[in-house]
Amino acid sequence: MRRIWAVAAKEFLHILRDPRSLMLAILQPLIMILLYGYAIDMDIKRLRVGILDLDHTQQSADFVRRMTSSNFILDAGRVASREEVETDFRRSRFHAVVVIPYGYARSLTSEQTTPVQVLVDGADGTTASAAGNYLNAVIALLSRDIMTEQFGTFKPPVEARTRVLYNPELISARFIVPGLVAVVMIMVCALLTSVAITREKESGTLEQILTTPIRPAQVIIGKVIPFVGIGVLDTAMVLAAGRFVFGVPMEGSWLVLTGYSLIYLVISLGLGLLISAITKTQQIAMMMAQLLTILPSMMLSGFIFPVTSMPRALQWFAHIIPATYYLRVIRGVMLQGESWFPFEGGIMILMAAILLGLAAKRFRVRLD
């Protein structure tokens, strides 16, 4: 233990001698969680919809008023003719255009069906899908109101009664922020430790360590200890920001989440140490840490896109990403109140052991 604490004290002094890097290590996670938490919003609002009103009646004006009465659809202006629609789409003036045909008001009272055309700019697939769904929902509500006015009552043969659990208001931040915790933790902690051994190589002090009787595992553990303290502080700040800034509820136990977070923290630090052991310069180590943590954790872990909707090969790749398992844990604890994750916990412990073991082995090979 004395050798481990000696290495830890030496690493701690290295950290204190570079206060700017220490300040960056502490503030970077907080800045990222605030920036991404506000910037990434799945709720699409204020869709710009153009109106091509060919009927110019009180009924067509009432249709437009009902359509734009909420905060989701914005009346972005009138279109004079069909020829102007594509020009306005190319200029990004509208997300969609609603065409109210000639005879709209007369058709409401004399025909069984009154067609209203919805043109959607499909260049942005996500926004186009939302615009189409919102406009179809508005038209469905309008049809129901017209049926009620004409026949006194309207009862559909099948009525869906939906109840959303765990996030009834469907607030994006409650889904996004726990995922951000997983991404920020592995990125920052891997970056911190990715230079731990390469710094020794570049400064030439690695040769002095090689002449001592200390074992590789003792060096690895000693170097991890100071970064565990920084990682715990970063994790606490990020979770506090999620709870008090973005209002993410805590339905489960903080103690349970702390236990799983410590395992994930060791995985992140072990990945950084392994990168540091196999690279020769700090610059390459930091670039590799960013490449192996940010993209896989954000794109393939289920943070934004469901893993089950990915191609089969990427689904298999997602199973070796630590954030995939921690995401299930943190969302389960914070949103669903679950406390028992034997499969995810076992995989995470196995990953931590493998990464620390590989880092120690690689360092031992260097000693040989």
Side-chain angles (χ1 to χ4, degrees):
M1 284 300 295
R2 191 173 59 183
R3 294 172 181 173
I4 293 176
W5 286 117
V7 174
K10 174 180 174 296
E11 195 65 31
F12 190 66
L13 287 176
H14 269 300
I15 296 172
L16 290 181
R17 286 172 182 171
D18 190 359
R20 287 178 296 183
S21 298
L22 178 61
M23 189 64 65
L24 185 64
I26 294 174
L27 293 181
Q28 185 182 11
L30 194 59
I31 294 172
M32 288 183 65
I33 198 78
L34 293 175
L35 183 63
Y36 287 139
Y38 282 115
I40 301 178
D41 190 350
M42 299 295 184
D43 300 329
I44 299 176
K45 300 176 182 176
R46 303 181 67 78
L47 289 167
R48 298 189 304 276
V49 176
I51 308 298
L52 177 54
D53 187 357
L54 300 176
D55 198 46
H56 298 290
T57 58
Q58 180 62 38
Q59 287 79 1
S60 64
D62 183 62
F63 175 87
V64 175
R65 182 184 58 79
R66 291 191 183 191
M67 183 181 67
T68 57
S69 59
S70 69
N71 193 36
F72 293 98
I73 298 176
L74 177 67
D75 184 354
R78 296 297 185 269
V79 181
S81 65
R82 289 181 179 274
E83 288 72 22
E84 291 185 7
V85 173
E86 288 197 29
T87 303
D88 289 331
F89 277 158
R90 284 195 287 268
R91 292 175 180 172
S92 300
R93 186 182 174 198
F94 305 126
H95 293 114
V97 171
V98 174
V99 181
I100 303 176
Y102 292 109
Y104 168 79
R106 177 174 46 80
S107 177
L108 286 177
T109 56
S110 60
E111 304 292 339
Q112 289 187 344
T113 303
T114 301
V116 174
Q117 188 175 30
V118 176
L119 301 172
V120 181
D121 180 5
D124 181 350
T126 302
T127 305
S129 176
N133 291 334
Y134 286 164
L135 290 172
N136 286 330
V138 168
I139 292 173
L141 288 174
L142 182 61
S143 300
R144 185 196 63 183
D145 293 344
I146 292 173
M147 292 284 290
T148 303
E149 291 173 2
Q150 292 182 351
F151 301 104
T153 182
F154 173 72
K155 292 184 178 180
V158 179
E159 182 181 9
R161 298 184 178 181
T162 305
R163 181 187 174 196
V164 180
L165 303 178
Y166 310 122
N167 185 11
E169 297 87 5
L170 297 178
I171 299 174
S172 294
R174 295 183 181 179
F175 174 77
I176 293 295
V177 172
L180 278 174
V181 176
V183 175
V184 170
M185 278 179 62
I186 194 168
M187 187 197 73
V188 173
C189 293
L191 274 175
L192 287 174
T193 51
S194 64
V195 298
I197 297 177
T198 51
R199 183 176 55 225
E200 305 280 2
K201 296 175 184 175
E202 289 186 336
S203 62
T205 53
L206 181 63
E207 302 304 324
Q208 298 175 9
I209 297 176
L210 295 177
T211 60
T212 65
I214 191 169
R215 296 176 180 176
Q218 294 172 328
V219 176
I220 295 299
I221 295 173
K223 284 186 172 295
V224 163
I225 290 175
F227 294 108
V228 169
I230 297 175
V232 169
L233 179 62
D234 288 343
T235 304
M237 289 194 306
V238 168
L239 288 174
R243 179 71 181 90
F244 298 109
V245 177
F246 296 101
V248 179
M250 183 50 168
E251 301 293 342
S253 166
W254 284 109
L255 187 62
V256 171
L257 182 60
T258 301
Y260 285 107
S261 297
L262 283 175
I263 300 173
Y264 186 64
L265 191 63
V266 174
I267 294 174
S268 307
L269 297 174
L271 177 62
L273 281 176
L274 179 60
I275 293 172
S276 185
I278 63 177
T279 53
K280 295 182 179 179
T281 66
Q282 297 185 51
Q283 184 179 8
I284 293 177
M286 294 180 70
M287 291 174 62
M288 184 176 291
Q290 290 180 340
L291 179 66
L292 293 179
T293 56
I294 297 178
L295 282 179
S297 299
M298 292 195 75
M299 305 303 295
L300 303 177
S301 66
F303 168 51
I304 298 177
F305 310 107
V307 175
T308 52
S309 64
M310 299 176 187
R312 183 68 65 181
L314 291 182
Q315 289 186 33
W316 282 107
F317 185 72
H319 290 156
I320 63 172
I321 299 174
T324 301
Y325 302 96
Y326 184 66
L327 270 173
R328 297 177 191 168
V329 171
I330 189 171
R331 284 174 176 161
V333 173
M334 296 192 74
L335 301 181
Q336 298 173 320
E338 181 60 47
S339 301
W340 181 238
F341 299 90
F343 176 73
E344 289 80 4
I347 294 292
M348 289 168 64
I349 292 173
L350 181 63
M351 285 182 170
I354 290 175
L355 288 171
L356 288 177
L358 287 175
K361 182 179 180 181
R362 182 65 187 177
F363 189 71
R364 183 174 59 82
V365 170
R366 177 71 185 180
L367 282 170
D368 292 340

